[in-house]
Amino acid sequence: MQPNPHTQTLHDTIAKLFAPGKGILAADESVASIHKRFEALSIPLTEENRLAYRSLLIGTPELSNEISGIIYHDETFRQMIDGKTFAEYSREHGIIPGIKVDKGLLDLPNFPGEKLTLGLDGLKERMEEYYALGARFCKWRAVVDVRGSTDEGIEANMRNLALYASIAQSAGLVPMVEPEVLYEGEHLQHETKEVMIRTLTHLFGELALYRVDLTGVILKTSMTLSGKKSGEVLTAQEIAQVTSEVLHGSVPKNIGGVVFLSGGQTPVQASENLSEIMKIGNYGFPMTYSYSRAIQDPVLHFFAANMKAMDEARAILKDRLLMNTLALEGKYTPASETGKSSEVAAVTHSQDL
Ligand code: 13P
């Protein structure tokens, strides 16, 4: 096999993304997904408002103190802030731009309720364009339903993730591979654990099969939660313990790194669980967060009512990020909250389901 000429670039990107104390902001909601969030908060569904909201996030002064990378959607990647593309603006402010490259979910024929993530067609060309525009990492999200996904559905999704990852590495982009095990549902934690182990086993099997260099891959994973409607109440310590068992048992130590999605947890839950997971430590690979809703929700709720009050909205964002920085050190508890960014009326809509 020819050595990949981009290996050093991939490793440099990973080192920067996992700079100690920093996380990766997911701001890559599709137009349809962000519209569901806007609609719920009565924000008019316009391109201008999408741009204003994302400019608010990205234009936060000294954002790079807490954020190492931002995942964008294609639309944002081509929009301008202060006369520059979002990618240029991010790079100039010490943040690595990333891009969501999958094309969303298809109902998997013959498997009622299951979804297959698509987007391999033209992927190499799209990635080369994104690289030229400044992207250095990318994301592809598959969804796994604890009680609904079959081995066939999981296998098809993990194969697409591996093919995507191999193409990304050949284009110089670090692939973030995201098999999101959904929090929605009535399943218990032991069921989530079993499905996460099965999913990760398939995923790493496929990555090996397609000769993906794990040292240049980031796994984006769920925490091992019980379903949102299960009625099973777990402490953050219990969630962290089982999550760490899953990661220790199922993630090869030579992976570039692991990041968590928030998946519909509240901002406080996502910080508390992260803190307990980090406290356990000794994973053998770098870890951080890559949240969308658990960071953005308090900001978006404020924005909905005060669209012009940029400074206050940015102070809310900063406050939430500082809580997560504490969590990365294993030092966050709900008592750390200032009250500025902890309360949200409701967690907003997930990315496409
Ligand atoms: P949430 O943190 O809202 O789950 O979003 C993270 C993400 O990128 C989902 O694909």
Side-chain angles (χ1 to χ4, degrees):
M1 205 167 88
Q2 293 288 324
N4 181 348
H6 297 294
T7 299
Q8 193 57 49
T9 308
L10 300 177
H11 290 167
D12 290 349
T13 300
I14 288 181
K16 287 184 197 142
L17 287 174
F18 286 93
K22 298 191 189 186
I24 300 170
L25 175 64
D28 60 327
E29 305 80 11
S30 65
V31 173
S33 296
I34 201 163
H35 275 183
K36 285 185 192 141
R37 295 185 190 172
F38 276 12
E39 208 165 15
L41 296 171
S42 305
I43 302 169
L45 311 180
T46 63
E47 184 185 345
E48 195 189 343
N49 284 342
R50 294 195 296 276
L51 176 60
Y53 172 64
R54 267 131 178 191
S55 301
L56 183 170
L57 297 176
I58 280 70
T60 299
E62 304 190 334
L63 190 59
S64 66
N65 288 350
E66 294 86 23
I67 290 294
S68 58
I70 300 179
I71 320 171
Y72 293 111
H73 191 265
D74 182 77
E75 178 187 65
T76 318
F77 220 78
R78 298 171 194 286
Q79 286 170 329
M80 309 287 277
I81 168 170
D82 281 359
K84 294 170 186 141
T85 66
F86 273 76
E88 285 163 351
Y89 184 92
S90 305
R91 288 172 77 99
E92 281 177 18
H93 288 79
I95 293 174
I96 304 181
I99 181 82
K100 172 187 165 85
V101 296
D102 69 69
K103 295 275 198 181
L105 308 172
L106 173 81
D107 287 327
L108 186 62
N110 310 326
F111 291 83
E114 291 197 61
K115 306 281 183 187
L116 178 65
T117 304
L118 296 179
L120 292 172
D121 280 3
L123 186 58
K124 181 78 187 277
E125 292 74 20
R126 286 196 284 129
M127 284 181 169
E128 284 170 352
E129 186 195 0
Y130 289 132
Y131 185 97
L133 291 171
R136 287 296 175 271
F137 70 106
C138 54
K139 174 185 128 177
W140 177 294
R141 169 177 177 260
V143 293
V144 175
D145 183 78
V146 172
R147 289 193 176 163
S149 288
T150 59
D151 270 334
E152 294 87 336
I154 292 174
E155 182 58 28
N157 273 302
M158 298 309 115
R159 179 166 309 148
N160 276 1
L161 270 171
L163 289 167
Y164 139 81
S166 67
I167 297 168
Q169 288 188 336
S170 75
L173 299 178
V174 171
M176 193 178 258
V177 295
E178 180 181 6
E180 177 172 351
V181 176
L182 297 171
Y183 181 29
E184 319 301 322
E186 297 176 3
H187 49 276
L188 303 174
Q189 188 192 36
H190 74 88
E191 296 173 80
T192 313
K193 179 180 180 182
E194 191 269 321
V195 170
M196 281 186 73
I197 292 172
R198 199 141 46 92
T199 300
L200 293 172
T201 304
H202 279 293
L203 174 64
F204 288 106
E206 292 293 333
L207 289 169
L209 219 49
Y210 291 99
R211 304 178 185 178
V212 175
D213 173 9
L214 280 192
T215 65
V217 169
I218 296 172
L219 170 69
K220 180 158 180 167
T221 182
S222 310
M223 297 175 187
T224 315
L225 307 167
S226 50
K228 206 168 189 170
K229 297 207 179 111
S230 68
E232 184 180 42
V233 180
L234 300 168
T235 63
Q237 288 80 0
E238 287 165 334
I239 291 166
Q241 183 54 41
V242 180
T243 303
S244 88
E245 283 166 23
V246 170
L247 296 181
H248 276 299
S250 303
V251 180
K253 300 289 178 227
N254 65 337
I255 193 161
V258 173
V259 299
F260 292 101
L261 58 98
S262 63
Q265 300 177 75
T266 64
V268 170
Q269 285 171 328
S271 297
E272 192 179 12
N273 292 334
L274 178 67
S275 191
E276 292 301 323
I277 290 169
M278 297 308 285
K279 230 191 249 176
I280 294 174
N282 281 324
Y283 292 95
F285 35 74
M287 297 211 301
T288 189
Y289 64 86
S290 175
Y291 298 156
S292 162
R293 285 168 289 168
I295 291 175
Q296 291 191 45
D297 273 355
V299 187
L300 188 59
H301 279 78
F302 180 85
F303 176 76
N306 312 271
M307 287 178 67
K308 300 274 177 249
M310 300 289 253
D311 290 349
E312 283 117 302
R314 287 172 170 158
I316 293 170
L317 175 62
K318 271 283 181 186
D319 185 70
R320 198 69 243 140
L321 295 176
L322 290 172
M323 294 301 129
N324 285 314
T325 300
L326 268 183
L328 289 176
E329 295 166 359
K331 292 185 183 153
Y332 169 93
T333 70
S336 316
E337 293 291 346
T338 63
K340 250 191 215 167
S341 68
S342 51
E343 299 300 326
V344 284
V347 174
T348 55
H349 196 278
S350 77
Q351 293 206 20
D352 315 276
L353 278 180

